[in-house]
Amino acid sequence: MITIDGENLSIDDVHSIAYKNEEVSFPNDARFIEALERSRAFLEDYIAKGYPTYGVTTGFGDSCANQINYTKAQELQKSIVHFHGIGLGKKFSREECRAIVACRLNSDVKGGHSAIRVELAQMLRTLLNRDIIPVIPELGSVGASGDLTPLSYVAAVVMGERNVYYKGRVVSALEAFAQEGLAPLPLAAKEGLAIMNGTSVMTAIASLAWKHARRLANISDFITAATAEIVKGNEVPFRKKVSEMKNHAGQIASAEYIYNIVKDSKRVYRYEDLLEKIGTIGETQFEIQAIKIQDRYSIRCAPQINGVLRDTLAITKQWIEEEINSSNDNPLVNVETSELYNTGNFYGGHICAACDYLRVALANVSDLADKQAEIIIDGKFNNLTENLIPFTAATDERAGLRFGFKAAQITMSALRAEIQHYCAPMSIHSSPTEALNQDKVSMGTISSRKLRDQIELLYLQYAVHVLAICQAVDLAGKEQFSAFTQNVHTSVRNISDMVIDDRQLDSDAEKVAACLKSTELFA
């Protein structure tokens, strides 16, 4: 059970609600409910005085000069839900929509600032705990005023309208309510805005994507370690002291992850042992050594590259979790000072930046892996075979008929190109809309969706790469590799056999991608 209090919801909590069907509760503290009730009473008293209150007794956006009598405030909330029912395209998954509802509920109960009724908070909680989850289209938000159009599908379900995910099917909200013995809840004054005028779609999608990006950072470091093993590199770049000299925490963490893998490998040289193997030049004036004393950038500089991703994960975690626990609709209430604020907290700038930055960092580790794939597949560099084909004698009847991972490398390069295409920042693509009222918008929702989609491609790229690594392990001899690499190899070989004679690998790669998303090896 996860407590929703508007203050302490984490990325891990959002992930558990989405994917583990964790139920949610409110704090067992009278002050929590009291804050909701006090802010609601303040709002109702305020609008009854006849003052124009944005989106409650006025029109929305550029129409805010149009004031209505407070007795029509409830009907106005139906209007905003209805006219925003223009979400298009494919739908967010059930799990993503669970995360969206959780983030919206957490924001709406924070400190009573959104002035919703206790009944609405309880209804959103019920949707999660009964697993009646709004079906939300992906397209239609510019990220300010928040995620108005997609969140209208949450508000509509509360009222008993539109469709929901329920018991493995998509059904009408009313059908699900009838089966659960629930009644729709008409929205009262401001409650449509409280649900819709916020950043919870982009924040939820960013939260789920962040978890995957952190896992991909671990996989990236494993790929570096395995590459060093395959080509018989040396471990100096991964020593802790080296990265401490550079100062960056992400680089230190990346190097440590790699070092902890390669330190027990029989194929990675300690630098001192490498020098001993090469020997001294003595009195000789010039000599070309058979072994180079340092590896290519894609191995030697890997902690400096993936370290950027790890540091980006650290700062974006802070931003995302601050947004999860923010009051981000409009207007907001400060019941302690009896003030009502017309604000811009619905602006998704931090979420857009977080996703923009993560997409750039992920594109770089994708590019890093592409270079490492060349090293382990090309027979000129891997000290194994051309394209990782099995050792094949010239007299073998299969000689010249095996091509191994030649096309796999092309596929990885194609994926890398697409992944790089996804890294263009969205925040700079703001365009005025809504009669020039929304004249500068965040584009955060699009950025979060692009991050999610980019991550799916990176899992596929890494899946093919890991297949190539396992092929190299088979060729070189599994017992020569680190314990961790052997564990990965065993896990993959439960899914995909070594490639002897050429065969299609598409389904193998997709199964490995699914494994990479879930295996405890990279948790």
Side-chain angles (χ1 to χ4, degrees), residues 164-200:
V164 296
Y165 295 109
Y166 179 67
K167 293 186 176 180
R169 298 187 300 136
V170 173
V171 302
S172 71
L174 284 179
E175 180 180 339
F177 284 1
Q179 291 198 36
E180 292 290 328
L182 300 173
L185 179 68
L187 296 176
K190 190 192 176 291
E191 290 183 331
L193 271 182
I195 294 176
M196 294 168 54
N197 202 7
T199 61
S200 296

Side-chain angles (χ1 to χ4, degrees), residues 343-361:
T343 81
N345 278 8
F346 49 70
Y347 198 91
H350 278 83
I351 294 296
C352 189
C355 295
D356 280 0
Y357 297 164
L358 281 169
R359 283 187 285 107
V360 172

